[in-house]
Amino acid sequence: MTAKRVIEPTRSFSRISPLIGSPVSIRELFFKNLIRPPFETIPMVQSIIEEETWKAPMVAYEEVKAKSSQPSLDSYIIDVREPNEAASQGSIPSSVAIPLSTFETSLALPDIDFEAKHGFNKPGKDQEIIFYCRSGRRSTIASREAHLHGYTNVKNYSGSWLDWMAKELEKK
């Protein structure tokens, strides 16, 4: 039986693994048994764990429907599907688009460049943002990315476009 090399995390722990020289998460190290508890007691490691396990609050159709029916400058509904998907499938009324493929780059843009690229004002860090996609997978990723960029009022429409269409068809 071969012994595993164990890393004791310290305050100077970086996201570059000294073992493999590539980015690695605390979760990966833990599950590979390369670090051992009580790493939760180290504040920096604890914040990384919280960051990696953070999930946006979920919103249901009824809340998204109410927001789309009465749009407000205080809230955005953002579609993270690619433009060709939205064009062929449709979109939630009053929603705006930032494709996931350009999402992280777009969040890093200065406000004026963001508006020139997307046609609407860049959301404020504390502004309510509800993300959706086709099924909820990409909106989960976008929610997490927005959170990592400092956005504090991020929500995820769990059912996304598929749920929206099913609920809208039920009404007819």
Side-chain angles (χ1 to χ4, degrees):
M1 186 165 131
T2 60
K4 290 186 178 183
R5 182 172 173 196
V6 176
I7 300 170
E8 291 290 343
T10 66
R11 289 187 98 45
S12 62
F13 180 82
S14 87
R15 289 188 168 218
I16 304 299
S17 166
L19 296 177
I20 56 177
S22 63
V24 66
S25 72
I26 293 294
R27 180 183 288 162
E28 289 171 301
L29 291 174
F30 177 73
F31 286 114
K32 291 177 182 175
N33 292 320
L34 296 176
I35 61 173
R36 61 174 90 118
F39 61 86
E40 297 90 349
T41 61
I42 301 170
M44 183 204 66
V45 173
Q46 190 172 14
S47 71
I48 291 171
I49 291 169
E50 289 169 4
E51 175 183 298
E52 290 190 5
T53 58
W54 181 87
K55 291 186 180 173
M58 301 294 217
V59 295
Y61 167 81
E62 294 75 21
E63 185 175 346
V64 177
K65 180 69 173 178
K67 299 259 184 216
S68 73
S69 299
Q70 296 179 337
S72 162
L73 294 176
D74 297 332
S75 179
Y76 280 110
I77 300 172
I78 298 179
D79 184 350
V80 295
R81 295 175 295 164
E82 295 303 312
N84 62 334
E85 287 179 87
S88 66
Q89 298 170 4
S91 60
I92 295 174
S94 78
S95 67
V96 293
I98 306 175
L100 187 61
S101 60
T102 63
F103 188 76
E104 193 169 356
T105 307
S106 293
L107 290 182
L109 291 173
D111 293 355
I112 195 161
D113 294 339
F114 181 95
E115 185 175 358
K117 181 174 183 171
H118 296 289
F120 60 93
N121 291 333
K122 186 175 180 179
K125 297 284 185 176
D126 59 350
Q127 206 165 4
E128 180 182 45
I129 305 170
I130 299 172
F131 291 103
Y132 81 96
C133 59
R134 180 181 169 273
S135 64
R137 181 171 286 155
R138 287 174 286 178
S139 61
T140 299
I141 294 168
S143 299
R144 187 169 182 277
E145 283 301 316
H147 174 74
L148 293 174
H149 278 85
Y151 289 85
T152 58
N153 197 1
V154 175
K155 298 178 182 175
N156 184 15
Y157 178 18
S158 55
S160 283
W161 180 249
L162 294 176
D163 182 61
W164 177 270
M165 283 307 299
K167 297 282 184 3
E168 290 292 302
L169 289 173
E170 283 176 10
K171 290 182 172 185
K172 293 182 179 183

